[in-house]
Amino acid sequence: DVKVTQSSRYLVKRTGEKVFLECVQDMDHENMFWYRQDPGLGLRLIYFSYDVKMKEKGDIPEGYSVSREKKERFSLILESASTNQTSMYLCASSSTSRGYLSYEQYFGPGTRLTVT
Amino acid sequence: AQTVTQSQPEMSVQEAETVTLSCTYDTSESDYYLFWYKQPPSRQMILVIRQEAYKQQNATENRFSVNFQKAAKSFSLKISDSQLGDAAMYFCAYLAGGYNKLIFGAGTRLAVHP
């Protein structure tokens, strides 16, 4: 089974702190994603990466950066956390294979971040 | 830009009954994928069912089936013989060109009553 893990389920940080959220997948997937989930808005893509050291902006990249130094690990960084970044953050991964299960994204359990 | 709309923020169903969750999308592409994901309370998001746009036949997975109307850009999810474990947030998602970027609807919260 594909397993996507995230470093924390719950996190409380203060305004202005630098925050690291880490995601690890064990299926050798090429693609990794960071989403933000807010009530009534669904999931919105922050950044994604299709290869090591490669990244592309999603729909809401402002205030965030990412790092992918190894294929299995994708980190989301909040350089200076603000209260409007309080949210649920979901990591996902997928393969670029064109097989039957291609393009399905597998999700981690989420990190609920509160910025006070 | 592609958009996905789920017009029902909340739905409820009695155990063993059938419920249909609605989803519409907007795109100018002809080749794409559609998904329904389930997010149980405090649990991981999992894939329920997928539909390739080039396939006319509606996808089914056990008690879950879709009604895919490509011309109408509609992709509804039918859950038959509802069970208590079906209670969750359900998200409709569209896989955009390049097959990397999922676009999600706002979600429908389904309650199942015994």
Side-chain angles (χ1 to χ4, degrees):
Chain A
D1 282 350
V2 175
K3 193 169 183 181
V4 181
T5 57
Q6 296 183 226
S7 50
S8 306
R9 289 301 302 270
Y10 300 93
L11 207 53
V12 179
K13 294 293 182 180
R14 293 197 179 276
T15 300
E17 278 193 85
K18 191 169 186 176
V19 181
F20 292 87
L21 303 181
E22 295 210 319
C23 175
V24 178
Q25 51 94 5
D26 67 357
M27 279 300 291
D28 201 36
H29 283 170
E30 296 84 0
N31 306 314
M32 296 188 75
F33 308 84
W34 276 106
Y35 293 92
R36 172 175 171 158
Q37 182 180 1
D38 298 291
L41 297 177
L43 279 72
R44 293 177 292 167
L45 182 65
I46 304 171
Y47 268 97
F48 72 96
S49 169
Y50 52 89
D51 201 352
V52 174
K53 297 191 185 295
M54 305 304 291
K55 62 184 179 184
E56 287 199 24
K57 293 180 180 179
D59 298 317
I60 51 166
E62 296 78 18
Y64 304 94
S65 62
V66 291
S67 173
R68 192 165 180 202
E69 296 297 319
K70 293 184 178 181
K71 190 175 185 180
E72 69 271 17
R73 190 179 298 269
F74 191 35
S75 301
L76 179 69
I77 303 154
L78 287 66
E79 294 289 342
S80 178
S82 63
T83 55
N84 63 12
Q85 292 178 310
T86 291
S87 187
M88 171 72 86
Y89 290 88
L90 295 176
C91 175
S93 71
S94 72
S95 171
T96 54
S97 165
R98 292 189 69 87
Y100 175 75
L101 294 178
S102 60
Y103 316 130
E104 176 184 350
Q105 292 189 13
Y106 296 84
F107 285 83
T111 295
R112 187 166 295 281
L113 173 66
T114 302
V115 183
T116 61
Chain B
Q2 295 95 348
T3 58
V4 176
T5 302
Q6 293 179 249
S7 58
Q8 306 153 316
E10 296 182 348
M11 293 282 285
S12 65
V13 64
Q14 294 293 127
E15 204 174 1
E17 297 293 308
T18 295
V19 64
T20 298
L21 308 184
S22 300
C23 173
T24 59
Y25 59 95
D26 187 25
T27 183
S28 57
E29 298 180 358
S30 59
D31 188 17
Y32 50 87
Y33 290 76
L34 295 163
F35 302 87
W36 278 98
Y37 278 89
K38 170 185 177 182
Q39 187 180 41
S42 300
R43 293 182 63 188
Q44 216 141 330
M45 181 109 63
I46 58 172
L47 180 67
V48 175
I49 199 165
R50 58 184 278 149
Q51 175 79 42
E52 292 90 339
Y54 64 87
K55 289 187 178 179
Q56 293 186 340
Q57 186 172 8
N58 289 325
T60 62
E61 288 287 343
N62 301 314
R63 298 182 295 106
F64 298 86
S65 62
V66 299
N67 183 4
F68 174 49
Q69 301 289 329
K70 191 173 184 179
K73 297 178 183 175
S74 171
F75 182 60
S76 60
L77 175 70
K78 185 171 82 171
I79 306 173
S80 305
D81 186 26
S82 296
Q83 301 175 359
L84 296 178
D86 294 334
M89 280 290 287
Y90 287 83
F91 291 97
C92 177
Y94 167 97
L95 190 64
Y99 304 121
N100 275 328
K101 185 178 175 181
L102 268 179
I103 298 170
F104 286 85
T108 296
R109 184 176 302 280
L110 177 67
V112 181
H113 302 293

